[in-house]
Amino acid sequence: MTASPEKVAAGKVVQFTYRIADRHGEIMEQVDLPLSMVFMRHNRLYDVVEKALVGCRVGDEVSVDVPAVDGAWGEADADLILVQDIEHVPPPYRKIGAEAQFQAENGEIKTFRVTSVTEESVTLDGNHPFAGQTMTFHVKVIAIRDASKDELLHGIESGAPTDFGNTTIH
């Protein structure tokens, strides 16, 4: 098998898979079905991840640490952690991982996850699950091709088929 001459660069359509691990190496999110994006346009990755991918070829993998301040998840906000007496929490929400949505006076809807349950209380956290953490993104390049004029202008719809010809997924 010969290596692809294409390299990841601005204006290329890049197909990739990824996984995100916490500081202990535990996989927190994994996408095995390849995603496609017009690289450095209509961004779908964090800048630090995209910079690490520049020049990669099909089959290359990169691992990049993304600190909380650089990620969409940001730092943890203590005001988004609520501890409620268990008798005030309906039974379906008395288990770790359960999610509840609350609406603020301004109409904004926020999802809170149950992170702790004791005999006396339930703790709900409205922060992003990665808040306050440095996460490691592991990205594998599956295919690369030139973007069409339409793709350069509008990007690629999520889930839209992309034509990579006879590209073999490794």
Side-chain angles (χ1 to χ4, degrees):
M1 179 162 116
T2 59
S4 168
E6 297 281 351
K7 290 183 180 181
V8 174
K12 297 285 187 177
V13 173
V14 178
Q15 191 175 60
F16 61 96
T17 59
Y18 73 89
R19 63 188 191 283
I20 303 171
D22 66 12
R23 64 187 171 104
H24 303 292
E26 183 178 342
I27 302 300
M28 304 303 290
E29 182 175 315
Q30 183 165 331
V31 174
D32 293 324
L33 185 62
L35 300 173
S36 297
M37 65 178 259
V38 179
F39 196 72
M40 298 256 179
R41 286 249 171 109
H42 315 286
N43 286 347
R44 295 177 132 187
L45 294 173
Y46 298 103
D47 288 344
V48 66
V49 177
E50 285 193 341
K51 287 176 185 171
L53 285 168
V54 171
C56 287
R57 297 179 188 270
V58 171
D60 287 351
E61 295 183 54
V62 298
S63 294
V64 181
D65 288 339
V66 179
V69 294
D70 292 338
W73 53 92
E75 293 297 332
D77 181 350
D79 290 338
L80 293 177
I81 299 173
L82 310 172
V83 179
Q84 299 290 313
D85 290 336
I86 199 158
E87 65 265 8
H88 298 300
V89 178
Y93 302 103
R94 295 179 186 176
K95 62 181 180 201
I96 293 177
E99 293 184 347
Q101 291 188 335
F102 296 96
Q103 186 170 357
E105 290 177 10
N106 66 3
E108 180 184 354
I109 296 176
K110 184 81 175 154
T111 300
F112 284 73
R113 287 174 340 286
V114 175
T115 58
S116 174
V117 179
T118 68
E119 289 181 19
E120 298 85 29
S121 66
V122 173
T123 303
L124 298 126
D125 190 341
N127 288 292
H128 187 283
F130 301 164
Q133 300 181 63
T134 294
M135 304 301 287
T136 303
F137 283 63
H138 304 278
V139 182
K140 181 175 182 177
V141 178
I142 304 299
I144 306 165
R145 66 168 172 76
D146 291 330
S148 69
K149 288 180 185 177
D150 191 54
E151 288 169 330
L152 287 170
L153 185 61
H154 301 291
I156 298 173
E157 279 186 46
S158 179
T162 55
D163 180 16
F164 282 93
N166 295 326
T167 301
T168 302
I169 296 177
H170 305 276

